[in-house]
C-alpha cells in the first residue's frame, strides 16, 4: 500500500517552542472584529483544525503558531511598529494585524469628485517602522496610485522606515520586451514606488524573480507555497497517484520546486502556443498523467484560459482528477465560468486579492496568507533574516 501524501519537512515540523525567539508575539490578544473575507456559503474556505475559534476560517500552518510569551523588548518594538491598510484588501490587512496582536493604524482615505485620492494619517508615525498593506490588484491603476499617495503621506509624517506590503504586484507580467517598441511597465512601477519614498518592498509570489531587480531598494519575496502545501498535505491523496503539472513551459521551475516539496512527485508539462494576450492554445502534453491525480500549479489565474485548456487536455490523457493551485486569483471574466465548468475537482487560491462573494463557486477553496505575511513583517521589523532555520520554512528570498 502506498504511503499517503506528505508535505516537505519544513511544513510538517513546527518551530521548537523552547528555542529562543528574536520576535515574540502576544498570542493572547484576540480580535473580535476580524473581517471574514472567505466566509461564504457558496465557497469552501479551508477550516484549520488549529484555529482556536470556530468562526475563523483562515489556514494556520503549524510552523506559524506564535508562542505564548512576551518580553519588554517586544512591547517596546510593538510601540514602534505601525500597520496601515489601503482600500484594496482591508480584510487581509485586518487578519495580519490580528495575527501580530496589533490594531490597524488609523488612516483616512477618500476620493474627490474628480477622482483624485486624498490620504491623511490619523495618528503619529514619527520615528516608527510603517508597513502599508496594499495589493495593486484590479483596478490596478487606482490601487497603485493610492499606494503611492500613502507612501508620500508617511514620508512627510517623518516615519523612520516605510515598507510597501504588496501581496499582489500588478504589472508584474510586463517584465520584459517581447516585441519592439514595448514598455517594461514592471520597472516603471518599481521606480514610482521607490521615488514615492518607500524604503523596502514586501511582495508575495512575483510573476518572475527578475522583478526584484527592478527595485533600487530591498525586496523581501515571500512564497505562498507553504500555505498551499500545508493544505494539500491534509488531504488523503496517495503519493504514488500524484503528478504536478506546469500549465506552460515558463512555469516549469515553479512546478518543479512545488513537486519536490510534495513527496517529490513526478512532473508533467503542458506545451502551449499563445496567439495573443489572454489567448492560449494547448498543443501537447509532456509526461504521463493516466490514472493520476494532477495538481496544476501557477502563480496566478487571470482569465483561466491557459489552466482550463490544460485541464481539458489532462482529462483527455486519462487524468483521474485535476486540482488547480494558484496564489493570485485575478479572475477576470470569463474565469469563473471556466473554473466552475466541472474540469476541476478543486480550485485552491489564497486571499492576496479580495474575491467578491458573487464569484465564489462550490469547487473553490480560499487559504489565508495573513500569518505568512505577519510573521515576515515581524522579522523585517526585528532585523531578522528569513533564511536561517527554522525561519527558512517561510520561503523568504
Amino acid at each position: 500500500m502506498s504511503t499517503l501524501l506528505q508535505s516537505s519537512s519544513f511544513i510538517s515540523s513546527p518551530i521548537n517552542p523552547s528555542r529562543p525567539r528574536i520576535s515574540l508575539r502576544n498570542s493572547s490578544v484576540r480580535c473580535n472584529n476580524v473581517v471574514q473575507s472567505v466566509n461564504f456559503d457558496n465557497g469552501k474556505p479551508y477550516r484549520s483544525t488549529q484555529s482556536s475559534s470556530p468562526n475563523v476560517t483562515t489556514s494556520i500552518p503549524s510552523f506559524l503558531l506564535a508562542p505564548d510569551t512576551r518580553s519588554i523588548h517586544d512591547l517596546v518594538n510593538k510601540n514602534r511598529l505601525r500597520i496601515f491598510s489601503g482600500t484594496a484588501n482591508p480584510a487581509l490587512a485586518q487578519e495580519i494585524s490580528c495575527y501580530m496582536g496589533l490594531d490597524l493604524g488609523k488612516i483616512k482615505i477618500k476620493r474627490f469628485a474628480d477622482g483624485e485620492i486624498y490620504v491623511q494619517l490619523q495618528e503619529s508615525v514619527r520615528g516608527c517602522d510603517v508597513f502599508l498593506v496594499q495589493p495593486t490588484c484590479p483596478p490596478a491603476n487606482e490601487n497603485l496610485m493610492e499606494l503611492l499617495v500613502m507612501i508620500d503621506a508617511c514620508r512627510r509624517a517623518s516615519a523612520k522606515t516605510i515598507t510597501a506590503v504588496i501581496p499582489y504586484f500588478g504589472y508584474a507580467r510586463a517584465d520584459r520586451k517581447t516585441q519592439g517598441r514595448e514598455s517594461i511597465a514592471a520597472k516603471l512601477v518599481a521606480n514610482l514606488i521607490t521615488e514615492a519614498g518607500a524604503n523596502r518592498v514586501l511582495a508575495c509570489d512575483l510573476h518572475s524573480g527578475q522583478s526584484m531587480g527592478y527595485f533600487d531598494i530591498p525586496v523581501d519575496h515571500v512564497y505562498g507555497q507553504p500555505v498551499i502545501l500545508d493544505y494539500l498535505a491534509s488531504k488523503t491523496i496517495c503519493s504514488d497517484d500524484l503528478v504536478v503539472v506546469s500549465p506552460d513551459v515558463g512555469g516549469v521551475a515553479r512546478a518543479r520546486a512545488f513537486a519536490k516539496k510534495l513527496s517529490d512527485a513526478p512532473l508533467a508539462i503542458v506545451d502551449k502556443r499563445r496567439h495573443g494576450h489572454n489567448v492560449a492554445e494547448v498543443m501537447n502534453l509532456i509526461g504521463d498523467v493516466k490514472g493520476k491525480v494532477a495538481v496544476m500549479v501557477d502563480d496566478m489565474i487571470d482569465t483561466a484560459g491557459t489552466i482550463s485548456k490544460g485541464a481539458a487536455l489532462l482529462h483527455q490523457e486519462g487524468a483521474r482528477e485535476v486540482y488547480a493551485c494558484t496564489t493570485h486569483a485575478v479572475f477576470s471574466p470569463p474565469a469563473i465560468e471556466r473554473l466552475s465548468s466541472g474540469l476541476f475537482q478543486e480550485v485552491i487560491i489564497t486571499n492576496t486579492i479580495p474575491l467578491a462573494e458573487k464569484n465564489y463557486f462550490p469547487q473553490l477553496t480560499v487559504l489565508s496568507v495573513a500569518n505568512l505575511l505577519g510573521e515576515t513583517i515581524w522579522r523585517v521589523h526585528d532585523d531578522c533574516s528569513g533564511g536561517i532555520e527554522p525561519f527558512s520554512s517561510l520561503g523568504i528570498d
Side-chain angles (χ1 to χ4, degrees):
M1 183 66 181
S2 58
T3 57
L4 293 180
L5 171 67
Q6 296 292 330
S7 64
S8 64
S9 59
F10 73 80
I11 297 298
S12 58
S13 301
I15 294 176
N16 186 358
S18 63
R19 191 168 189 169
R21 298 293 302 277
I22 296 179
S23 171
L24 302 178
R25 262 72 61 206
N26 177 15
S27 62
S28 62
V29 176
R30 292 292 179 263
C31 202
N32 296 324
N33 60 345
V34 178
V35 180
Q36 297 296 326
S37 61
V38 296
N39 189 16
F40 297 109
D41 293 336
N42 55 340
K44 294 195 308 180
Y46 172 51
R47 296 184 180 273
S48 173
T49 56
Q50 297 170 344
S51 177
S52 60
S53 171
N55 297 323
V56 178
T57 61
T58 58
S59 169
I60 305 179
S62 57
F63 61 85
L64 289 180
L65 293 179
D68 202 11
T69 56
R70 290 178 7 184
S71 67
I72 296 177
H73 173 71
D74 297 322
L75 294 177
V76 172
N77 277 351
K78 285 175 65 175
N79 292 332
R80 311 298 291 181
L81 189 153
R82 297 286 188 276
I83 301 176
F84 294 92
S85 173
T87 61
N89 198 343
L92 176 58
Q94 183 70 70
E95 292 178 27
I96 292 173
S97 65
C98 286
Y99 169 79
M100 300 178 67
L102 300 172
D103 292 326
L104 279 178
K106 298 177 181 179
I107 186 171
K108 182 179 181 181
I109 303 175
K110 69 176 183 179
R111 262 75 173 172
F112 290 109
D114 60 355
E116 294 180 3
I117 300 172
Y118 172 83
V119 173
Q120 181 189 31
L121 303 178
Q122 303 283 285
E123 59 185 72
S124 174
V125 296
R126 185 179 298 273
C128 294
D129 292 335
V130 177
F131 293 82
L132 305 175
V133 182
Q134 176 78 343
T136 54
C137 53
N141 297 332
E142 279 283 310
N143 291 329
L144 173 61
M145 190 62 199
E146 182 178 303
L147 173 63
L148 298 177
V149 178
M150 290 171 64
I151 293 172
D152 183 71
C154 293
R155 180 174 63 88
R156 297 180 187 279
S158 302
K160 180 181 178 182
T161 62
I162 304 170
T163 300
V165 181
I166 311 176
Y168 171 73
F169 182 62
Y171 289 101
R173 286 174 284 184
D175 56 1
R176 64 190 185 278
K177 292 180 67 173
T178 58
Q179 303 178 66
R181 300 177 296 280
E182 282 186 337
S183 68
I184 303 178
K187 172 59 176 173
L188 173 61
V189 173
N191 288 342
L192 290 173
I193 293 173
T194 303
E195 291 301 319
N199 303 108
R200 179 182 292 269
V201 168
L202 170 56
C204 183
D205 269 341
L206 291 170
H207 185 64
S208 59
Q210 68 211 41
S211 298
M212 288 186 286
Y214 294 156
F215 290 89
D216 296 325
I217 54 178
V219 177
D220 292 299
H221 187 203
V222 180
Y223 294 96
Q225 280 189 0
V227 176
I228 298 175
L229 285 166
D230 191 70
Y231 173 72
L232 287 175
S234 68
K235 305 182 74 66
T236 55
I237 305 176
C238 293
S239 57
D240 293 341
D241 295 338
L242 188 69
V243 59
V244 175
V245 181
S246 172
D248 54 36
V249 176
V252 171
R254 182 185 304 107
R256 183 185 295 115
F258 194 90
K260 184 177 180 180
K261 294 179 174 65
L262 206 60
S263 301
D264 202 14
L267 183 67
I269 304 169
V270 176
D271 178 31
K272 70 172 184 181
R273 295 185 183 180
R274 190 181 296 274
H275 297 288
H277 295 294
N278 296 331
V279 178
E281 180 180 355
V282 171
M283 300 298 295
N284 197 11
L285 176 67
I286 305 171
D288 181 25
V289 298
K290 188 174 182 179
K292 302 281 189 177
V293 175
V295 179
M296 302 189 73
V297 180
D298 210 348
D299 64 316
M300 70 174 70
I301 296 178
D302 191 354
T303 61
T306 297
I307 204 163
S308 61
K309 289 184 179 180
L313 179 63
L314 293 176
H315 282 293
Q316 292 174 11
E317 296 293 330
R320 191 169 80 243
E321 294 177 349
V322 179
Y323 289 79
C325 301
T326 188
T327 303
H328 309 300
V330 181
F331 286 1
S332 302
I336 302 301
E337 290 78 7
R338 289 170 172 171
L339 294 173
S340 60
S341 62
L343 290 172
F344 299 97
Q345 179 74 15
E346 191 172 1
V347 178
I348 304 167
I349 66 173
T350 71
N351 61 343
T352 56
I353 298 176
L355 194 62
E357 183 177 359
K358 64 180 181 180
N359 289 332
Y360 276 75
F361 51 93
Q363 296 89 356
L364 186 66
T365 296
V366 182
L367 308 178
S368 178
V369 295
N371 306 311
L372 189 68
L373 294 175
E375 185 68 24
T376 307
I377 289 174
W378 271 120
R379 294 173 184 183
V380 170
H381 175 62
D382 286 341
D383 296 323
C384 172
S385 172
I388 304 176
E389 289 293 343
F391 298 156
S392 59
S393 62
L394 289 177
I396 305 173
D397 277 349

